[in-house]
Amino acid sequence: YLLVMLLIVFFANCAKQPVIPGVPINLRATGLVGVAGVELRWDAVAGAASYDVTITKRAASGSRETFGPYNTAHAYYLAMRETLGAGEFDWTVSAKNLAGSSAAVGGTAFTLAGEPEPEPEYGLVLTLEEKQTPFSDRGSIPAIYVYGDSENDDSSQRFPSSDFLPFNYILGTLEYREDLPEGEARQNMSVQLMVEPFGSGEAKRWPDSDTEFLLDEEGQLVFGINDLGENFGGKKSSGRDAVEDPLEPGEYYFWARASWNDEIESTKERFDIVLLENPLIGSITLKDEEGKGYTTKVCPTSTEVTLVYEVSVEGGEWFSELCYHFTIAQQGEDGTIETTESGTFTGATAFSTTVTYATECTKYATLTLDGTVVIHLYDNEEATEVTVTLNTEDYDVASHSFVLDMADPTASATILTVPFSLSEPASSTEVSLAFYAIDTKCLQPYDEKINFEVYVDKGIGSWEGSFDFFDEKVILGEGSLWGNEITIEGTYAATKVSEFAHDYAYAVLDLEIPALDLATVTATMSVHDCCCEGCTLEAPCAGCGVGGNITHATEVSMQFAVDNVFFSSMLDIEEILETEGLRGEEGEIPVLPASPAYATFTIRLADANWDVNNPFLVSWSVSTEDGSPFPDISFNKSFATGTVLGECSGYATKTTLTLLGNVNAEPIPNLPDTEATEIVLTFTATTSDNANNVFSFTFEALFDTLPPTLTHFAAFRNQHINESWIEFGFSQKPESAALALTVTASGTFLYDLEDLDEIEIEGQENAYKLLTGITLPFGETITLEATATDLAGNIGFSTKTAEVSISSPR
């Protein structure tokens, strides 16, 4: 029995177990199933018992609705519109068996089209025909031509009524051709007429929202269209019965529908409303007596000029009768005479007139028209012609203006910085200059007709720069060795106050001058009132004048001197101060030598604008660390002068002053040694130039009259190793020392600074240790005499005694 059970278990475990199938591949939507569905396919997967298909509608199609999963034993699925609806869809499929399902994979999106709209039934036939048009045939699309000005919000000044007047109308014919139901009469059938702007998709009833039309006995309707009805248009006409102007230019559809049956309608027929904006064309041409033409600028070089106006008008064939009015202004010596020429014409006209001008300003000429125009209206089932008279406010068909310049511009300049003297160099870092230019009518701040030049004269390496009106920032001497570039910032104004006023241009140049040792600055404004595009200062009216003395240009300059820095202040201290005989290490405060030795100071000062012969030119002071004066010091000074060339911080020529001085740390006479001192002194030299630019520089030195003396003395003996030494300290660090150690029982022993070792003892500076090389007797008093010299050269003599103590080595 046990053997049989073991065999059953063995064969059960050895039987093949099912595994999860792999993912489907080669997913595809193979095509339409009729027009109502799509076949979704994939390759069969080994071991798969069936497949789950999930379909999701894309959000762009109106939702993210999910359908399924749908299970199928086949490697395809039919996605039908009756189940899913119309739209775009994503889909996935996974393979499955008893062991489980594979991962779902997505296939190519597919689209299910919506059901097609039924074809409309057209029971009404509509035709549109263009009538009474005076214009060329535009093809198959009929049009209503209207006359007006779309950019003029007040066109009623030209016409007595609406904004756009129709030249013609469109005749519409509507016919119902279907068989009538028994007992129906055609004349009892009503229709509604509709207007729809092209591309809008929104139709409105015509001519208003309430009117319906009855067909006649033949099932026809004839009507005229010369407006869009009350439901269209945006501008109001004047008068008691004002309605919105129904003649907005554009593209439209016109169509009809049966009032008794919403499904019966006509096709949509296209028509246009075409704006003939300013059909009258007028021209005014300006020439000289030799026939040379001018446009907007005339720039003679004389004080009188004769010009010819040639005038023409075209497009009048659409009008019954027209009258032109040609007005020429600003004539005569004072520019107040105005003349007008008038005449009637039909179709077109042309004429010329000669004018002599003797004043400079902007000249105007205008061509206006008045007359009558015939328009066509369809009203009460018939078309009528209406003659419309242009208002007494003449129709401006053309105008011409030009600038006539017969005088040079004027200009002036001033300095705005206060206070400021043009005769003396100013110690200013900011200087403002104002330039003003005026001309009767031709001043041109644009196109480089007004420009500036600033020249900085420094004797050598001078700076200059040119820039135009409206340039906001200019830098002179950019990259200067001294970092003292001049920055010019400009603010400008240029205007025409009125058509009769003068032109003017105003500029303020703000100069930022950080450091300049005497220089002359010249700023010049060049003003051109040239009327020609290519004119230059040398020949401003070349090619556009008739000869004479007028240059049409002027210049104005402003010059001043500036000195806002003492030159030496721009130098490093090493270029100003040279010393010899001072003592000490580099980086430390130097030490004055003790008497009788001297330290020598050589001080070189330079500036372009000062008086070196003034005995009070340089003042000196010596002060202690707390700022109090220290008068008890001898500083002998001598002077020498000279020049240096090539410095470009201002004028190249600098006057130099060289000062030589000797100074030492001489003890104050008749004072005891206790009055000797060691203190840091600050030497200050102050000077100024003729522009009152002050320069001070300082240097420090240690004033030391204290000699080094012994401040501490101790003696020690170590009996274990039989070694003796002494320890002592000085009031100052010695540069040299001679020591004499006297031991009563042994005699006197001599040492120097090289025999000493520096040590650290708390509370004691400048401490030393000396191995005596002899045995010091314990308990005996010994004497140390020291002769020491410090860095300044002060010599100190001092004596100390000490009792020898027993001690271990330190």
Side-chain angles (χ1 to χ4, degrees):
Y1 176 78
L2 289 175
L3 179 61
V4 171
M5 292 299 294
L6 289 172
L7 289 174
I8 292 173
V9 171
F10 174 79
F11 285 113
N13 288 333
C14 291
K16 186 176 182 181
Q17 297 294 322
V19 295
I20 297 174
V23 297
I25 60 174
N26 196 20
L27 280 70
R28 58 211 183 265
T30 59
L32 294 176
V33 179
V35 293
V38 172
E39 184 179 66
L40 307 177
R41 280 192 171 274
W42 55 91
D43 291 350
V45 179
S50 64
Y51 304 91
D52 281 341
V53 179
T54 302
I55 302 174
T56 304
K57 193 171 188 178
R58 288 187 170 181
S61 296
S63 72
R64 288 292 296 170
E65 184 179 359
T66 299
F67 300 89
Y70 301 110
N71 186 260
T72 175
H74 307 289
Y76 63 88
Y77 179 77
L78 300 180
M80 304 302 294
R81 184 175 63 204
E82 62 182 5
T83 302
L84 306 176
E88 294 184 351
F89 298 87
D90 296 312
W91 60 288
T92 63
V93 62
S94 63
K96 62 189 300 184
N97 58 19
L98 292 177
S101 298
S102 71
V105 293
T108 304
F110 63 89
T111 301
L112 295 177
E115 296 185 12
E117 296 290 335
E119 292 291 331
E121 297 181 6
Y122 298 109
L124 295 170
V125 177
L126 174 65
T127 57
L128 299 179
E129 181 182 2
E130 186 178 303
K131 290 289 188 179
Q132 300 295 336
T133 177
F135 308 104
S136 59
D137 185 13
R138 295 175 66 250
S140 60
I141 300 177
I144 301 172
Y145 296 92
V146 296
Y147 177 40
D149 185 353
S150 63
E151 296 181 357
N152 187 352
D153 292 334
D154 194 13
S155 299
S156 60
Q157 289 186 356
R158 295 185 182 177
F159 308 109
S161 57
S162 78
D163 292 329
F164 299 112
L165 297 180
F167 279 108
N168 67 318
Y169 65 95
I170 292 176
L171 187 66
T173 303
L174 183 67
E175 183 177 2
Y176 181 64
R177 297 179 179 178
E178 298 292 329
D179 294 334
L180 294 177
E182 186 175 352
E184 289 284 348
R186 295 182 185 272
Q187 64 268 29
N188 294 328
M189 294 183 178
S190 62
V191 294
Q192 298 173 353
L193 302 181
M194 310 294 293
V195 174
E196 178 183 333
F198 181 78
S200 70
E202 180 181 3
K204 295 181 180 180
R205 292 266 295 274
W206 181 86
D208 53 48
S209 300
D210 300 321
T211 302
E212 295 184 351
F213 297 86
L214 291 177
L215 303 181
D216 61 15
E217 295 180 353
E218 302 298 325
Q220 292 185 348
L221 174 67
V222 178
F223 55 93
I225 306 171
N226 65 349
D227 60 42
L228 295 175
E230 292 183 0
N231 288 327
F232 290 92
K235 300 176 182 177
K236 287 283 188 179
S237 301
S238 60
R240 183 169 56 105
D241 299 324
V243 296
E244 290 186 341
D245 187 350
L247 284 172
E248 288 294 322
E251 301 173 340
Y252 300 90
Y253 286 122
F254 200 96
W255 50 287
R257 64 187 181 191
S259 303
W260 72 90
N261 188 335
D262 290 343
E263 296 182 358
I264 299 177
E265 60 184 25
S266 72
T267 56
K268 294 182 179 181
E269 297 297 324
R270 166 82 177 277
F271 78 98
D272 296 338
I273 296 180
V274 179
L275 173 63
L276 298 176
E277 191 171 6
N278 300 332
L280 289 168
I281 301 174
S283 66
I284 302 174
T285 302
L286 185 66
K287 298 181 178 181
D288 61 19
E289 293 181 294
E290 286 73 34
K292 178 183 177 179
Y294 297 96
T295 54
T296 59
K297 302 170 185 177
V298 177
C299 185
T301 52
S302 62
T303 56
E304 187 174 275
V305 63
T306 299
L307 300 172
V308 178
Y309 286 98
E310 293 184 354
V311 184
S312 65
V313 182
E314 298 179 356
E317 60 269 14
W318 300 322
F319 296 82
S320 300
E321 184 178 75
L322 290 169
C323 178
Y324 68 80
H325 307 274
F326 183 61
T327 303
I328 310 167
Q330 295 93 30
Q331 301 176 72
E333 293 184 357
D334 57 359
T336 60
I337 299 177
E338 179 177 291
T339 60
T340 299
E341 295 189 17
S342 300
T344 59
F345 70 97
T346 58
T349 188
F351 61 92
S352 64
T353 186
T354 301
V355 177
T356 298
Y357 290 110
T359 58
E360 160 177 285
C361 64
T362 300
K363 307 299 182 180
Y364 297 91
T366 57
L367 176 64
T368 58
L369 302 174
D370 59 32
T372 58
V373 61
V374 176
I375 65 173
H376 294 81
L377 304 176
Y378 193 94
D379 189 22
N380 297 325
E381 300 184 356
E382 63 180 14
T384 58
E385 292 185 355
V386 178
T387 299
V388 178
T389 301
L390 276 69
N391 283 1
T392 55
E393 293 284 343
D394 291 343
Y395 177 26
D396 185 359
V397 68
S399 62
H400 184 273
S401 66
F402 69 96
V403 175
L404 179 61
D405 183 13
M406 293 187 291
D408 293 335
T410 59
S412 62
T414 186
I415 192 161
L416 299 179
T417 304
V418 177
F420 205 95
S421 172
L422 295 179
S423 60
E424 296 293 336
S427 180
S428 300
T429 58
E430 294 181 354
V431 179
S432 295
L433 306 178
F435 290 89
Y436 184 79
I438 189 170
D439 192 68
T440 53
K441 258 320 173 203
C442 291
L443 199 60
Q444 298 183 49
Y446 299 95
D447 301 325
E448 303 179 358
K449 297 300 189 297
I450 300 180
N451 49 63
F452 300 89
E453 182 177 276
V454 178
Y455 180 78
V456 182
D457 181 8
K458 301 190 285 94
I460 189 172
S462 297
W463 297 335
E464 61 182 322
S466 300
F467 52 98
D468 297 324
F469 202 89
F470 294 125
D471 286 351
E472 295 182 357
K473 188 173 183 179
V474 177
I475 298 178
L476 302 184
E478 191 166 9
S480 164
L481 172 66
W482 304 95
N484 60 340
E485 301 93 339
I486 294 180
T487 301
I488 304 174
E489 293 187 352
T491 55
Y492 307 91
T495 186
K496 295 178 185 291
V497 178
S498 71
E499 65 182 49
F500 303 107
H502 287 40
D503 294 354
Y504 79 85
Y506 183 71
V508 175
L509 304 183
D510 293 319
L511 282 70
E512 181 181 343
I513 309 173
L516 207 57
D517 179 26
L518 189 59
T520 301
V521 181
T522 304
T524 302
M525 178 177 69
S526 299
V527 184
H528 303 195
D529 67 2
C530 307
C531 294
C532 301
E533 293 295 334
C535 70
T536 63
L537 183 61
E538 292 77 17
C541 288
C544 64
V546 293
N549 299 319
I550 300 173
T551 62
H552 293 278
T554 191
E555 288 186 350
V556 62
S557 296
M558 170 61 64
Q559 185 178 85
F560 63 93
V562 63
D563 178 13
N564 58 18
V565 67
F566 194 94
F567 174 69
S568 294
S569 66
M570 304 180 69
L571 304 177
D572 294 333
I573 189 65
E574 293 81 6
E575 300 176 83
I576 300 173
L577 177 64
E578 180 181 336
T579 63
E580 184 176 355
L582 289 175
R583 300 174 180 180
E585 298 292 333
E586 184 177 354
E588 298 179 350
I589 297 176
V591 179
L592 295 174
S595 177
Y598 287 95
T600 301
F601 294 91
T602 302
I603 300 171
R604 295 182 179 89
L605 300 175
D607 192 74
N609 180 32
W610 66 331
D611 183 6
V612 295
N613 297 316
N614 184 351
F616 305 104
L617 183 64
V618 182
S619 62
W620 296 89
S621 65
V622 183
S623 59
T624 61
E625 291 177 293
D626 61 3
S628 59
F630 190 84
D632 300 315
I633 187 169
S634 173
F635 190 13
N636 301 316
K637 302 177 288 293
S638 61
F639 295 83
T641 62
T643 59
V644 60
L645 296 177
E647 307 293 352
C648 295
S649 68
Y651 269 108
T653 302
K654 312 290 185 184
T655 302
T656 63
L657 177 64
T658 303
L659 298 97
L660 304 176
N662 297 326
V663 65
N664 63 4
E666 182 178 356
I668 301 173
N670 303 321
L671 289 180
D673 292 343
T674 55
E675 295 298 325
T677 185
E678 182 177 318
I679 190 171
V680 175
L681 299 181
T682 300
F683 293 78
T684 302
T686 303
T687 187
S688 63
D689 61 13
N690 293 339
N692 293 321
N693 296 300
V694 177
F695 169 59
S696 294
F697 78 97
T698 61
F699 58 92
E700 293 180 330
L702 181 65
F703 182 82
D704 181 11
T705 58
L706 285 175
T709 57
L710 292 170
T711 59
H712 168 75
F713 177 45
F716 303 94
R717 175 181 174 186
N718 189 325
Q719 293 180 330
H720 298 287
I721 61 174
N722 196 28
E723 183 180 78
S724 300
W725 70 93
I726 59 174
E727 295 178 357
F728 52 93
F730 287 103
S731 60
Q732 295 187 66
K733 184 178 179 63
E735 289 295 309
S736 65
L739 303 173
L741 180 64
T742 301
V743 182
T744 303
S746 304
T748 299
F749 302 91
L750 302 179
Y751 307 93
D752 58 26
L753 195 61
E754 294 181 355
D755 299 321
L756 308 183
D757 294 320
E758 288 192 65
I759 61 174
E760 293 184 0
I761 300 178
E762 185 176 356
Q764 173 68 54
E765 296 182 357
N766 306 311
Y768 297 89
K769 178 181 178 180
L770 171 63
L771 294 175
T772 63
I774 62 173
T775 300
L776 299 178
F778 169 71
E780 186 174 334
T781 299
I782 62 175
T783 301
L784 178 65
E785 295 179 351
T787 301
T789 304
D790 63 9
L791 184 62
N794 296 301
I795 302 174
F797 305 94
S798 56
T799 302
K800 290 285 186 179
T801 60
E803 184 177 317
V804 179
S805 301
I806 296 176
S807 176
S808 299
R810 288 182 180 275

